[in-house]
Amino acid sequence: MHDDEFRDELRNYLQRRDARVRPIHVALPRSTQRSIVRMVAVALVVAVFVAGAIIGGFALRGSRTTSPPGVSDVTPNASASATPGTPAARAGAAIGFDPETGQVVMFGGLGDNGTSGDTWIWNGREWLQLHLSMHPLTRSGASMVFDPKLHGLVLVGGGADEPVSSSQQQDLLATWLWTGTGWRRLNTPHHPAPNGLVGIGALGGPIAYDAATGRVVMVTNETGPHYQACSSETWTFDGIDWILQHPATPLAAPFAALVNEPQSGHVVAVLPPRVALQNVGKLSTSCPAGSPQARALPQSSTWRWTGSNWTEVTMGTEPEGSSLAVASNGTSIGLDPVSGTSMVVTDNNEALWSWNGARWTALPGSGEGPPPRTDSMLSIDARGHVVLFGGINQRAGANDFDTWLWISSRWQKVTGPAPQTATPSPVSFTAPAG
């Protein structure tokens, strides 16, 4: 067919189409067909390249791109770039270690200009700020822990430093998952708001992973200027929903620390001493004076979660009694990859204590080094070090932005790239089978 014939045929086709007449087949010249095929092929190559770039995200060691099973992803995993730097001074940020990627992730916190919503990665040598298009609402006092079933860090709780809208309140109530490359907001039918209270202070409480049951455990720490809960609430998260537990022996409130116990796979909690609770002046309690729930606790104690109840393990050997910080995001550091023990830190002097399943032991020299502070961020990292960042400097009365590492039984301040040391074999931290 010549070009004139092709144009006439095409014109007739368009006329019949406009008259709603069934179109006839238009036989294109072979040269035109080959051009169209080449154009489609090029377009497919470009589309594959762009899709690969989007899915690839940013290159962080051990990053994951697959969605965990059973997770509703309402916030897509956003690609990001990473910039080396130093996080701004802050306290009360959420921090957690992901053993699958080797990342220590820090989110949010309360700084000099209010709450923040930035995400930082400690890679064992330096801090990297991630520039994410999607992330949780700015907050402080949130908690974060690794869930091996979801292959990511679960973040929940926290509060803003100013009034929030109803949609922002839902963001604060939501559970978030750090996948190794970005944040995913999870759809859970229920939220762990203590005693149903919403919009009052920081939501939630410290969390730890119970490997024996394959659940994340949260214990609320609900106190206020005119209110004291007699018992803490215990919530568990199975990767799909939060469930309020009703143990026969509730954990007394307040409590000081919550950590995973590798010896049993369960979670243990530390309670500080307290006087008997009673209504005095404007202070009200959630239980009658003289009731078992309002009893005095003359000594500190350690309790183990069995999956359905709390049982007392030991009394009087806890880290410096009541000097463990009672903070919304807890004081636990997590598993030490070298010794396989759980660790906590005391308030003000950052002294480290380890739990071997039967008793607490102070780490010699750990109380010397960083200036006294509260609400600092601590985590185990991939090299087996304890990394400490920021907090409220008790001497200066201001937030700090310094980084310290616990290496070879002493604290070392990081002033440049962290020193290289042999990486220990990490302790196995897996979900139960089935």
Side-chain angles (χ1 to χ4, degrees):
M1 181 182 292
H2 298 294
D3 290 342
D4 291 340
E5 294 174 336
F6 172 72
R7 284 194 294 270
D8 292 338
E9 186 69 24
L10 181 60
R11 187 182 302 110
N12 292 334
Y13 163 73
L14 294 175
Q15 290 174 352
R16 285 192 294 271
R17 185 199 63 182
D18 293 340
R20 298 185 184 275
V21 176
R22 182 178 178 180
I24 65 173
H25 173 70
V26 179
L28 298 177
R30 291 184 178 181
S31 60
T32 303
Q33 293 177 5
R34 287 193 294 267
S35 298
I36 293 175
V37 170
R38 285 195 295 268
M39 292 172 62
V40 172
V42 171
L44 287 175
V45 171
V46 172
V48 170
F49 175 81
V50 172
I54 293 174
I55 294 174
F58 58 91
L60 288 175
R61 182 173 68 87
S63 63
R64 298 175 293 268
T65 57
T66 57
S67 298
V71 174
S72 177
D73 179 9
V74 298
T75 299
N77 200 7
S79 60
S81 59
T83 303
T86 301
R90 71 191 66 198
I95 193 168
F97 174 60
D98 183 342
E100 292 189 4
T101 64
Q103 302 170 350
V104 174
V105 181
M106 182 172 68
F107 175 80
L110 182 62
D112 297 336
N113 297 316
T115 54
S116 59
D118 49 352
T119 302
W120 290 81
I121 298 291
W122 172 259
N123 62 8
R125 298 199 66 205
E126 61 183 348
W127 288 102
L128 302 172
Q129 183 178 13
L130 306 185
H131 306 284
L132 299 160
S133 58
M134 296 289 185
H135 58 77
L137 186 72
T138 61
R139 68 190 69 194
S140 65
S143 300
M144 189 156 53
V145 71
F146 179 74
D147 187 331
K149 291 200 306 181
L150 298 181
H151 302 282
L153 289 163
V154 174
L155 180 143
V156 67
D161 62 337
E162 57 185 18
V164 297
S165 64
S166 58
S167 62
Q168 291 173 324
Q169 184 67 34
Q170 290 304 310
D171 190 303
L172 289 173
L173 285 170
T175 301
W176 291 78
L177 182 72
W178 174 257
T179 67
T181 57
W183 289 104
R184 297 178 187 272
R185 180 174 164 176
L186 310 183
N187 272 330
T188 61
H190 301 94
H191 308 296
N195 290 316
L197 296 178
V198 175
I200 303 176
L203 299 172
I207 59 179
Y209 183 73
D210 190 298
T213 61
R215 302 288 189 270
V216 172
V217 178
M218 169 186 281
V219 179
T220 63
N221 229 354
E222 184 200 342
T223 58
H226 303 296
Y227 179 78
Q228 170 66 63
C230 298
S231 302
S232 299
E233 289 186 348
T234 301
W235 292 77
T236 58
F237 179 60
D238 60 3
I240 299 176
D241 194 13
W242 286 97
I243 301 171
L244 177 61
Q245 301 294 323
H246 300 281
T249 306
L251 199 64
F255 75 103
L258 191 71
V259 295
N260 172 265
E261 180 184 66
Q263 292 79 11
S264 68
H266 283 300
V267 166
V268 295
V270 177
L271 300 183
R274 76 174 188 189
V275 298
L277 301 181
Q278 56 183 332
N279 297 326
V280 178
K282 295 182 178 181
L283 177 64
S284 62
T285 63
S286 62
C287 60
S291 66
Q293 293 79 16
R295 70 189 186 282
L297 302 175
Q299 290 183 296
S300 58
S301 55
T302 301
W303 295 68
R304 180 180 293 120
W305 175 249
T306 66
S308 59
N309 199 19
W310 289 100
T311 60
E312 188 174 10
V313 182
T314 185
M315 179 184 295
T317 67
E318 287 65 37
E320 300 185 9
S322 60
S323 66
L324 277 173
V326 181
S328 60
N329 61 340
T331 59
S332 63
I333 297 174
L335 295 181
D336 182 344
V338 179
S339 64
T341 59
S342 300
M343 301 179 68
V344 296
V345 63
T346 56
D347 206 0
N348 286 322
N349 65 356
E350 309 302 331
L352 299 173
W353 289 68
S354 65
W355 170 255
N356 65 3
R359 64 177 296 107
W360 293 95
T361 304
L363 276 63
S366 62
E368 303 172 0
R373 65 191 68 198
T374 60
D375 295 322
S376 55
M377 284 62 69
L378 296 102
S379 174
I380 293 290
D381 72 6
R383 298 180 181 275
H385 306 150
V386 176
V387 56
L388 178 153
F389 179 81
I392 304 174
N393 189 312
Q394 295 300 293
R395 294 173 180 170
N399 291 325
D400 268 334
F401 56 91
D402 50 349
T403 301
W404 295 74
L405 293 176
W406 177 254
I407 304 176
S408 302
S409 300
R410 67 187 183 96
W411 286 108
Q412 299 182 31
K413 187 175 182 179
V414 177
T415 56
Q420 295 294 301
T421 58
T423 302
S425 299
V427 171
S428 175
F429 191 55
T430 57

